[in-house]
Amino acid sequence: MNQFNDIIAKYKQTKGINQLNITTALIDMDGVLYDSMKYHTIAWKKLTDELNIEASLDEFYIYEGMTGAGIIRLLFKRSFNEEVSDEKAAELYAIKAKYFGEVGKVEVMPDAQRMTSILRDNNIERVLVTGSGQASILNCLDTDYAGIFDHDKRVTAHDVTNCKPHPEPYLRGMEKAGRTAEECIVIENAPLGIKAGKAAGCFVIGITTGPIPKEEMVKAGADLVFGSMGEFADALPTLIEAFRN
């Protein structure tokens, strides 16, 4: 028996459906396609130190999936009980983006290219769904993931009003693909993104690519969690077969 059949059956039972026809993968970017979170945390810490906001490096892994403006508003509310205007949030995020450009490197996540190629070769459509607006990474997609993400199949921080864990980013991804939740899987590496995918009604796959443990992804609602991108890529053909049975 396929090792994933019971998990898929549980999802179908929860949704009250008999058939699951997965045609589309909604894929996060930072921590999934790129090993970039370690540099984002450094850039955020530099900015918060300058603003006299107490924050730790690891804290920013928890915020992964939020837009930059959303993180800035959260920090100012917590530290100063202050609301931040759109203009100020954009100004501060531009500074953070500058710091990221100084310390960050665009490093493809090991095995992520293999993972996306398996999806493509199995006729699973790919839609990017990221809370990032970081041009220095987004501009690399066409080179690093050539032929994987069509330009009209990308959702970024510029396309949504509500960031993860709100379902809007994944609902927008489904809209761009013209698909329903029962036709989509979500591929994520962070609790906020997992919560967003679940709130959108999708089958959600968590992948451990940073310091956030598997248990936190399960707690966030992931249907299935893999210990690394390589482990996920190895299992993906079998998982696709299970979805189609």
Side-chain angles (χ1 to χ4, degrees), residues 26-111:
L26 309 175
I27 307 173
D28 182 41
M29 184 175 72
D30 289 298
V32 173
L33 300 176
Y34 291 100
D35 190 10
S36 50
M37 279 306 300
K38 55 194 174 187
Y39 301 119
H40 282 298
T41 62
I42 293 170
W44 278 117
K45 187 68 170 69
K46 184 173 181 180
L47 177 65
T48 54
D49 285 350
E50 291 178 356
L51 296 170
N52 293 316
I53 292 174
E54 288 191 16
S56 67
L57 279 171
D58 284 350
E59 177 178 346
F60 293 100
Y61 286 99
I62 303 299
Y63 302 150
E64 186 180 350
M66 295 179 68
T67 61
I71 294 173
I72 289 165
R73 290 192 175 96
L74 181 152
L75 292 170
F76 269 75
K77 186 69 174 177
R78 184 188 72 193
S79 299
F80 310 122
N81 196 28
E82 178 184 330
E83 301 293 339
V84 177
S85 68
D86 291 345
E87 293 74 18
K88 184 172 183 178
E91 176 186 334
L92 291 173
Y93 184 68
I95 296 171
K96 180 266 171 183
K98 172 178 173 291
Y99 292 158
F100 177 86
E102 292 170 353
V103 301
K105 300 175 183 177
V106 180
E107 298 175 358
V108 172
M109 182 66 69
D111 291 303

Side-chain angles (χ1 to χ4, degrees), residues 11-244:
Y11 171 80
K12 289 193 289 188
Q13 183 179 24
T14 301
K15 295 283 289 184
I17 57 175
N18 296 318
Q19 195 67 30
L20 194 61
N21 179 32
I22 298 299
T23 65
T24 304
L26 309 175
I27 307 173
D28 182 41
M29 184 175 72
D30 289 298
V32 173
L33 300 176
Y34 291 100
D35 190 10
S36 50
M37 279 306 300
K38 55 194 174 187
Y39 301 119
H40 282 298
T41 62
I42 293 170
W44 278 117
K45 187 68 170 69
K46 184 173 181 180
L47 177 65
T48 54
D49 285 350
E50 291 178 356
L51 296 170
N52 293 316
I53 292 174
E54 288 191 16
S56 67
L57 279 171
D58 284 350
E59 177 178 346
F60 293 100
Y61 286 99
I62 303 299
Y63 302 150
E64 186 180 350
M66 295 179 68
T67 61
I71 294 173
I72 289 165
R73 290 192 175 96
L74 181 152
L75 292 170
F76 269 75
K77 186 69 174 177
R78 184 188 72 193
S79 299
F80 310 122
N81 196 28
E82 178 184 330
E83 301 293 339
V84 177
S85 68
D86 291 345
E87 293 74 18
K88 184 172 183 178
E91 176 186 334
L92 291 173
Y93 184 68
I95 296 171
K96 180 266 171 183
K98 172 178 173 291
Y99 292 158
F100 177 86
E102 292 170 353
V103 301
K105 300 175 183 177
V106 180
E107 298 175 358
V108 172
M109 182 66 69
D111 291 303
Q113 290 168 322
R114 179 162 65 96
M115 178 269 290
T116 55
S117 294
I118 291 170
L119 292 171
R120 179 197 60 204
D121 295 345
N122 282 273
N123 298 315
I124 302 292
E125 187 175 24
R126 290 80 48 204
V127 180
L128 182 78
V129 182
T130 177
S132 176
Q134 197 85 44
S136 57
I137 296 183
L138 290 165
N139 291 342
C140 295
L141 283 167
D142 288 339
T143 300
D144 296 329
Y145 291 91
I148 296 296
F149 296 102
D150 292 340
H151 283 265
D152 63 344
K153 301 294 191 302
R154 302 180 186 187
V155 178
T156 73
H158 306 299
D159 299 306
V160 298
T161 302
N162 301 290
C163 59
K164 303 171 187 177
H166 194 282
E168 183 185 355
Y170 283 112
L171 294 173
R172 288 282 292 133
M174 285 187 273
E175 182 183 324
K176 283 179 177 285
R179 300 295 182 180
T180 65
E182 290 76 21
E183 296 173 290
C184 298
I185 57 172
V186 164
I187 300 173
E188 268 284 354
N189 73 307
L192 293 184
I194 289 168
K195 289 179 180 179
K198 289 305 293 182
C202 300
F203 185 99
V204 179
I205 298 165
I207 306 169
T208 302
T209 61
I212 298 174
K214 279 186 175 184
E215 294 74 19
E216 289 301 314
M217 298 192 196
V218 172
K219 191 185 300 182
D223 295 287
L224 193 56
V225 181
F226 292 91
S228 69
M229 184 61 71
E231 182 184 330
F232 176 49
D234 289 343
L236 188 52
T238 304
L239 181 58
I240 292 171
E241 179 186 352
F243 281 131
R244 290 175 172 169

